[in-house]
Amino acid sequence: MGRRRAAAKPPAKPRQKLDTMFNCLFCSSLKAVEVKMVRLEKIGFLKCRVCSANFSSAITYLSEAVDVYSDWVDKCAEANYEPEADEPSAKKSKVSE
């Protein structure tokens, strides 16, 4: 008598690919922003084909194109942020007693 034959493992499901083309924040063109990543130089480049808006960001070996795009969105939001006059400033004076 022989051993039972092992059941075959199910084939691996294909991984979902992430986008490399995104919508432009400035000209609102659909799928006009292309991201290129130069892994040897550790830099990700982003450029709009319509309005020529560009951005570059430092990347790591784990970074993907969507990370460069999200860095660009964050920098644009940070540049457009205007604190309201009613908000207390981040620096509070210390009162000694």
Side-chain angles (χ1 to χ4, degrees):
M1 291 183 63
R3 294 171 51 188
R4 285 191 177 198
R5 185 173 178 176
K9 293 182 181 177
K13 294 181 181 177
R15 290 183 63 178
Q16 188 177 24
K17 297 199 178 204
L18 298 174
D19 289 338
T20 58
M21 300 291 290
F22 301 97
N23 301 337
C24 183
L25 298 176
F26 297 114
C27 66
S28 301
S29 298
L30 300 176
K31 303 289 183 184
V33 176
E34 185 176 9
V35 177
K36 292 185 180 179
M37 301 178 68
V38 182
R39 298 229 184 245
L40 294 175
E41 297 177 13
K42 298 182 181 180
I43 298 175
F45 295 101
L46 175 142
K47 185 172 182 181
C48 177
R49 290 182 281 140
V50 178
C51 68
S52 298
N54 56 14
F55 176 76
S56 62
S57 174
I59 61 171
T60 65
Y61 69 97
L62 294 174
S63 297
E64 295 291 335
V66 70
D67 297 322
V68 177
Y69 181 74
S70 64
D71 287 345
W72 182 47
V73 171
D74 292 342
K75 290 289 184 179
C76 290
E78 184 180 308
N80 291 329
Y81 176 72
E82 295 177 8
E84 294 180 15
D86 296 339
E87 291 182 19
S89 65
K91 297 179 182 177
K92 293 184 178 181
S93 62
K94 293 183 179 181
V95 179
S96 60
E97 293 182 28

